[in-house]
Amino acid sequence: LNPPIGRDPPQNLNRRGDHPTQPLLTGRPTTVFVFAFRGAVGNGQNGDAGHGELLCHRLRANRRGVQPPCLPPCPFGRSLDVSFPGSKGQSLQNSLADLGWTTHFADQIGPEDAGLIPARLALLHRGRIDVLTEGGAAELICPPNMAVSTLAVGDWVLGDGARVVRLLDRHSLLQRRAAGTGTETQLIAANVDTMFIVSSCNADFNEGRLERYLVLAHAAGIEPVVVLTKADQADPAPYVATARALSQDLAVMAVNAKDPGVAAALARWC
């Protein structure tokens, strides 16, 4: 799992409690989204990275066992020098399949799209977006008839070198009602296959919050997986039983994020 450009998910979560991180784009065609509760993360003080952060780093390390091949420079006008924690300063370069490209998107490309470059959204700004392409990370400008608010991290777009030309149809969309509004919808993430809902085996475990995230996942047609951290600090059995009772056939994993083997335990969803 890779964090969004320029952000470290656990630090963001420490500031915002159970506010979700941006989607973690990456590694294989399967796209995973992570919700982490405050108690699953740790305070990051005194060198303690926190269990949620360690979990993300274990998964990233598992994904980066093979060095990606050298690819041509990014085809867009402005490239971004992007590196992630654990990447040793190397710029992010992947194939389209690594970024989550599937036949669902390839089937939408026609002769009229010749010369356009597929790109996946990584960050949204006021009038521009940061994207990931085969050649690396880049920045695109949205045309006047395309509001950034209509896009979501994880969307696939076609670009002409400087601008977004069109948005490809999504296969899933994670969304919720915007805070303080009655009808406005907030887009969270698009084209996600699996959602990790990360909580912890302690007093911060909250059934109500788990249920709300499960509702979001089911409404979007995304497979939810509950990941319970700090299993080494308490008996995880009652927490696992409570979580499994929330939804039929719900996958629940109790892990110690400090254990290097945790990435292998979660690999089937990545």
Side-chain angles (χ1 to χ4, degrees):
L1 296 176
N2 296 324
I5 294 175
R7 292 177 183 261
D8 187 4
Q11 293 175 1
N12 186 39
L13 288 166
N14 282 338
R15 292 193 300 268
R16 299 294 301 274
D18 61 352
H19 184 77
T21 68
Q22 293 281 2
L24 309 181
L25 307 180
T26 184
R28 294 179 186 174
T30 297
T31 298
V32 179
F33 188 91
V34 176
F35 274 116
F37 297 160
R38 183 186 304 110
V41 178
N43 57 23
Q45 298 176 353
N46 301 320
D48 177 15
H51 285 230
E53 180 172 0
L54 284 170
L55 175 63
C56 289
H57 280 281
R58 294 291 185 200
L59 291 167
R60 281 200 298 270
N62 191 54
R63 287 289 186 79
R64 294 181 179 275
V66 178
Q67 178 65 26
C70 182
L71 295 169
C74 178
F76 293 137
R78 179 183 174 188
S79 62
L80 301 176
D81 183 14
V82 177
S83 61
F84 295 120
S87 66
K88 299 181 179 179
Q90 298 172 350
S91 294
L92 179 66
Q93 291 185 326
N94 291 292
S95 69
L96 288 179
D98 289 333
L99 296 173
W101 184 262
T102 65
T103 55
H104 172 83
F105 306 107
D107 290 344
Q108 301 178 48
I109 306 299
E112 68 279 7
D113 299 315
L116 300 181
I117 306 298
R120 194 164 195 189
L121 272 68
L123 273 181
L124 306 179
H125 304 283
R126 186 173 296 275
R128 57 187 173 82
I129 58 175
D130 292 345
V131 298
L132 303 177
T133 73
E134 281 188 308
E139 181 181 276
L140 292 177
I141 298 173
C142 293
N145 63 345
M146 180 182 293
V148 173
S149 60
T150 63
L151 303 176
V153 172
D155 271 329
W156 279 97
V157 299
L158 299 180
D160 63 4
R163 298 184 308 164
V164 176
V165 175
R166 73 180 180 94
L167 170 69
L168 298 183
D169 292 340
R170 303 159 174 141
H171 75 73
S172 67
L173 178 61
L174 193 61
Q175 58 186 332
R176 66 181 179 185
R177 188 172 60 190
T181 69
T183 58
E184 186 178 351
T185 299
Q186 178 186 5
L187 306 185
I188 301 174
N191 304 315
V192 175
D193 302 300
T194 305
M195 185 169 78
F196 285 167
I197 305 172
V198 184
S199 187
S200 53
C201 298
N202 57 24
D204 286 314
F205 180 88
N206 186 298
E207 293 178 64
R209 285 185 294 184
L210 285 176
E211 285 183 310
R212 288 195 293 273
Y213 289 132
L214 289 172
V215 169
L216 288 177
H218 289 310
I222 298 170
E223 179 184 8
V225 178
V226 175
V227 181
L228 301 176
T229 63
K230 303 186 180 181
D232 56 314
Q233 299 181 13
D235 178 11
Y239 298 97
V240 171
T242 301
R244 283 180 175 161
L246 296 176
S247 180
Q248 186 176 6
D249 300 324
L250 175 64
V252 181
M253 300 290 293
V255 302
N256 171 12
K258 296 181 179 180
D259 182 357
V262 67
L266 300 176
R268 58 174 164 155
W269 290 289
C270 298

